[in-house]
Amino acid sequence: DVKVTQSSRYLVKRTGEKVFLECVQDMDHENMFWYRQDPGLGLRLIYFSYDVKMKEKGDIPEGYSVSREKKERFSLILESASTNQTSMYLCASNGSPESYEQYFGPGTRLTVT
Amino acid sequence: QQQVKQSPQSLIVQKGGIPIINCAYENTAFDYFPWYQQFPGKGPALLIAIRPDVSEKKEGRFTISFNKSAKQFSLHIMDSQPGDSATYFCAASKNSGYSTLTFGKGTMLLVSP
């Protein structure tokens, strides 16, 4: 059974802080994704990674960066958190180009005050 | 530019009813159309998916209808149950090798007892 875990379910940070969101998958998946979910806006892709140390921008990368040092771990970094980055952050992984199915973690609700 | 448009934003049906959620896309390069189901406090999970070479796919009480010429697809839930109350997202993907998904904005479904 595929498992995607995220380091925190809830996080409260102050404006200007550097924030790290961690995601780990246990299925040796090649592809990993970070989304943010906002009411009425659905899921929007921030960044994705198709291999270790490889990354690609998604639709809304501004204000974010990512790191993938190991295959199983994909980190989302907010260099200087702002209030408009208050959101639910979802990590997902995918096993192969032939299978489009993405497996999601439970999400991290980040509040920036 | 919203590439996948989903409607309605919310839907209330009585138990046993057949809720229908509609999605329309613009990019003819899309070749995979999944529906994800999300319960409160959980990440989205794949419910059912279709490729454009078929017009309909059924899995249990869930059916996708696909109209390639109209660039539309819809989810039907037969004999809906209160346990089906969730947020549903349609999505689309093109064969880019990275399995990225473009999501609709979501539909909150409430099935009343």
Side-chain angles (χ1 to χ4, degrees):
Chain A
D1 206 20
V2 177
K3 194 166 186 183
V4 179
T5 56
Q6 296 183 228
S7 52
S8 304
R9 293 301 303 271
Y10 300 93
L11 210 52
V12 179
K13 295 292 182 180
R14 293 194 180 277
T15 301
E17 278 194 84
K18 190 169 186 177
V19 182
F20 292 86
L21 302 182
E22 305 285 341
C23 175
V24 177
Q25 51 94 2
D26 67 357
M27 283 303 292
D28 200 35
H29 282 173
E30 299 291 335
N31 304 322
M32 296 187 74
F33 309 83
W34 274 107
Y35 297 88
R36 65 177 282 175
Q37 181 177 9
D38 300 287
L41 296 179
L43 279 72
R44 293 180 291 166
L45 182 63
I46 304 171
Y47 266 98
F48 67 98
S49 168
Y50 53 92
D51 201 350
V52 175
K53 297 190 185 294
M54 306 303 288
K55 61 186 179 184
E56 290 284 342
K57 292 180 180 179
D59 299 318
I60 52 165
E62 296 78 19
Y64 304 94
S65 63
V66 290
S67 173
R68 194 167 180 201
E69 297 295 322
K70 293 185 177 182
K71 190 174 185 179
E72 68 271 18
R73 188 178 299 269
F74 191 34
S75 302
L76 180 68
I77 303 159
L78 287 67
E79 294 290 342
S80 178
S82 63
T83 55
N84 63 13
Q85 292 179 310
T86 292
S87 185
M88 171 68 81
Y89 289 88
L90 290 162
C91 175
S93 71
N94 161 267
S96 70
E98 293 78 28
S99 169
Y100 289 95
E101 181 174 3
Q102 293 186 14
Y103 298 86
F104 283 83
T108 295
R109 182 163 295 282
L110 172 67
T111 301
V112 183
T113 61
Chain B
Q1 181 187 4
Q2 185 187 352
Q3 295 196 57
V4 179
K5 294 184 179 180
Q6 182 172 347
S7 63
Q9 196 169 9
S10 63
L11 189 55
I12 301 174
V13 300
Q14 289 194 327
K15 178 182 174 181
I18 305 175
I20 300 172
I21 305 171
N22 300 298
C23 283
Y25 63 97
E26 298 164 2
N27 191 339
T28 54
F30 288 143
D31 65 351
Y32 173 79
F33 302 90
W35 286 89
Y36 279 76
Q37 180 187 53
Q38 184 181 30
F39 293 106
K42 304 285 188 182
L46 180 65
L47 183 63
I48 186 173
I50 197 168
R51 292 192 183 269
D53 53 346
V54 296
S55 61
E56 186 176 275
K57 184 173 181 180
K58 290 183 180 181
E59 286 187 5
R61 296 184 292 107
F62 300 91
T63 299
I64 299 179
S65 297
F66 186 83
N67 185 331
K68 189 175 181 178
S69 61
K71 293 188 286 185
Q72 295 175 347
F73 58 109
S74 59
L75 177 70
H76 302 233
I77 306 175
M78 304 301 177
D79 186 28
S80 59
Q81 302 296 314
D84 296 328
S85 298
T87 299
Y88 292 82
F89 294 95
C90 63
S93 183
K94 52 188 175 181
N95 188 10
S96 66
Y98 301 138
S99 307
T100 59
L101 293 171
T102 299
F103 284 88
K105 293 186 176 182
T107 297
M108 290 183 60
L109 171 66
L110 177 63
V111 181
S112 59

